[in-house]
Amino acid sequence: MNPEEDVLHVEGGKPLNGTIKVRGAKNFVSKAMVAALLAPGKSVLKNVPEIRDVHVVSDLLRLHGVEVDVDGANGIVTIDASHVQLADVADVDTLSGSSRIPILFSGPLVHRLGEAFIPALGGCNIGGRPIDFHLETLRKLGATVDKEHKDGIHITAPNGLHGAKIHLPYPSVGATEQTLLAAVLAEGKTELSGAATEPEIMDLVCVLQKMGAIISVDVDRTFRIEGVKELSGYTHTSLTDRIEAASWASAALATHGDIFVKGATQPEMITFLNVFRKVGGKFEVTDKGIRFWHPGGDLHPVAIETDVHPGFMTDWQQPLVVALTQANGLSIVHETVYENRFGFTKPLVQMGATIQLYRECLGSLPCRFQQRNYKHSAVIFGPTPLTGRDIDVPDLRGGFSHLIAALAASGPSDVHGISLIDRGYADFRGKLEALGADFD
């Protein structure tokens, strides 16, 4: 992309008002596309957002001989995985920095082809996202993992994959998805304890069940997967992206706006909605979506701790922090999922926010980062007026948060690196235009 095209000039200080539509969840759609690899035949995924991650996964699938048709206007992706083949290492490597999805190709490719090659992984720089959980899972299922390959990781299974008992020391979303995708066709039974149970994972379970998998879920975060001999294609409509919906809700709050998010659904957002109400925001749930607005008057400070589902989602906190800079008093955010998620606050401080980061755990939840020298707690004092400035986007959610700050600030801002935002926010420029934002 031309560097000049990767900058958004924003004139802030104007409330965002209007209606936008949010489609399927970024964190589910890409995984459902990978699941189609498990079955020869055609799969149809609906309510798909027009985001860059969808095109990255489409390209990766095509490199492996899969036919992919993306109807962006109608949000439908059709995948025919009848003929799967090994991709050229050099071709796969050209996409290696674009996404962390390739590691999830491992199980399906090993089942279909007997081997998989995984390039170096990309993704947002928000802290440690080790693939060790993924690789250990594959080893326990019987895979041989060669990490010494100069271009990435080579995975084989000379004797096929077999069921195993697997325990995750932390409920990692990626490792849970890896286990599900690898275990459904493994011989025998797999027990996965300590699993993540996010709504996007449960929607993936629904897809796999439609394909013919046998998966049960216990209340103690344990999945039991009985391997089957074959799977077939699926037709499925994705759940709505709860992260994008909450991001626009925070934008309404920060800009004193009023936004109706078509497609937003309440069940996946209950925890966020409780906090939104405590801060002083108003919302109305309808059959078609959720309306979020700033009712006027003071916003209230809150104390938040991020956690795995059903706790307060880590991807919700960054946009909300921008709104909290306008709350009357002291707010505390304790990040327990990623150790480096507060890097995005530095530009907010430069815009006028009062935010102090701490290495201590400012909360009551058990935290992996205690006494590990990570600044993973934030204290936000408000309200403080924000003033526009030049901003460099650090990652997907932090980038959208900076965009919110620019919209809430008085005066102009230049937001650099906005292509990162395209990874998870479909047509955000069109949505900003629909909400009356002043930008070019």
Side-chain angles (χ1 to χ4, degrees):
M1 176 180 282
N2 186 322
E4 292 181 3
E5 296 175 359
D6 206 18
V7 180
L8 201 68
H9 178 77
V10 178
E11 288 287 343
K14 188 177 180 181
L16 296 181
N17 295 314
T19 298
I20 58 167
K21 180 175 175 56
V22 173
R23 284 186 185 168
K26 166 189 174 288
N27 288 347
F28 161 77
V29 165
S30 51
K31 321 304 170 56
M33 292 173 69
V34 174
L37 261 181
L38 289 163
K42 185 177 289 186
S43 294
V44 180
L45 186 59
K46 302 178 181 179
N47 197 32
V48 178
E50 291 187 88
I51 55 175
R52 200 167 83 234
D53 269 21
V54 168
H55 296 289
V56 169
V57 180
S58 297
D59 288 343
L60 283 167
L61 288 169
R62 291 185 186 110
L63 289 178
H64 289 89
V66 178
E67 294 181 23
V68 185
D69 178 67
V70 180
D71 179 354
N74 294 305
I76 300 173
V77 174
T78 305
I79 302 169
D80 188 340
S82 297
H83 306 289
V84 178
Q85 63 190 35
L86 274 180
D88 184 89
V89 170
D91 290 339
V92 175
D93 200 43
T94 62
L95 294 171
S96 64
S98 303
S99 172
R100 298 182 66 84
I101 291 296
I103 187 67
L104 294 178
F105 276 56
S106 304
L109 287 177
V110 167
H111 283 304
R112 294 293 301 275
L113 301 173
E115 61 179 315
F117 173 77
I118 309 303
L121 298 178
C124 292
N125 182 23
I126 53 177
R129 306 172 84 176
I131 62 169
D132 293 350
F133 288 167
H134 292 258
L135 301 180
E136 186 59 28
T137 287
L138 291 166
R139 289 190 184 98
K140 286 183 177 178
L141 292 170
T144 299
V145 179
D146 176 14
K147 295 176 70 174
E148 302 304 316
H149 196 286
K150 63 183 178 66
D151 294 316
I153 302 167
H154 189 228
I155 300 168
T156 55
N159 301 311
L161 297 182
H162 296 78
K165 278 196 171 186
I166 299 170
H167 174 73
L168 299 180
Y170 182 79
S172 160
V173 168
T176 299
E177 294 163 341
Q178 182 73 259
T179 306
L180 290 169
L181 291 167
V184 286
L185 284 174
E187 183 181 333
K189 297 181 179 180
T190 297
E191 179 184 292
L192 173 65
S193 57
T197 58
E198 270 66 9
E200 294 80 11
I201 285 182
M202 300 313 298
D203 215 20
L204 179 61
V205 169
C206 290
V207 163
L208 293 171
Q209 188 179 58
K210 285 181 176 181
M211 297 177 75
I214 301 173
I215 305 169
S216 62
V217 188
D218 293 345
V219 294
D220 64 349
R221 292 185 178 274
T222 299
F223 287 79
R224 302 182 195 281
I225 305 116
E226 297 182 34
V228 297
K229 292 192 178 299
E230 60 182 12
L231 297 171
S232 57
Y234 65 83
T235 298
H236 188 78
T237 300
S238 169
L239 81 168
T240 302
D241 196 315
R242 60 194 174 122
I243 304 173
E244 185 179 0
S247 297
W248 289 112
S250 295
L253 208 54
T255 66
H256 288 248
D258 187 336
I259 300 176
F260 181 68
V261 183
K262 288 178 67 176
T265 51
Q266 183 181 16
E268 298 83 18
M269 296 189 69
I270 286 175
T271 304
F272 176 83
L273 293 174
N274 285 334
V275 173
F276 191 82
R277 177 168 282 161
K278 288 180 182 178
V279 173
K282 295 284 188 181
F283 64 87
E284 178 186 11
V285 180
T286 73
D287 291 341
K288 293 185 177 180
I290 304 177
R291 176 190 168 205
F292 299 94
W293 73 96
H294 189 309
D298 287 344
L299 295 181
H300 314 304
V302 291
I304 306 167
E305 296 186 81
T306 65
D307 201 2
V308 295
H309 186 76
F312 192 88
M313 196 177 190
T314 179
D315 288 317
W316 287 336
Q317 64 92 344
Q318 286 169 294
L320 189 64
V321 162
V322 180
L324 291 178
T325 66
Q326 305 308 304
N328 188 12
L330 209 62
S331 294
I332 299 172
V333 181
H334 179 210
E335 172 62 51
T336 75
V337 179
Y338 290 126
E339 70 271 26
N340 192 30
R341 196 125 216 190
F342 286 124
F344 81 101
T345 60
K346 185 176 179 179
L348 300 184
V349 172
Q350 292 169 340
M351 297 174 80
T354 302
I355 302 174
Q356 184 68 46
L357 304 182
Y358 293 91
R359 293 178 174 82
E360 291 76 19
C361 295
L362 300 183
S364 59
L365 285 178
C367 179
R368 296 177 295 159
F369 311 130
Q370 188 173 19
Q371 297 178 340
R372 289 183 60 190
N373 212 30
Y374 296 119
K375 290 186 176 181
H376 67 292
S377 293
V379 174
I380 305 107
F381 180 77
T384 51
L386 301 179
T387 305
R389 59 165 286 117
D390 279 7
I391 308 169
D392 289 312
V393 168
D395 59 74
L396 173 59
R397 307 302 171 190
F400 194 84
S401 304
H402 290 159
L403 184 56
I404 294 174
L407 292 162
S410 60
S413 296
D414 282 339
V415 185
H416 300 261
I418 56 169
S419 57
L420 263 175
I421 301 175
D422 285 321
R423 281 192 54 220
Y425 294 90
D427 188 27
F428 71 88
R429 295 171 190 80
K431 291 171 183 174
L432 288 175
E433 190 173 337
L435 296 173
D438 188 353
F439 70 96
D440 58 47

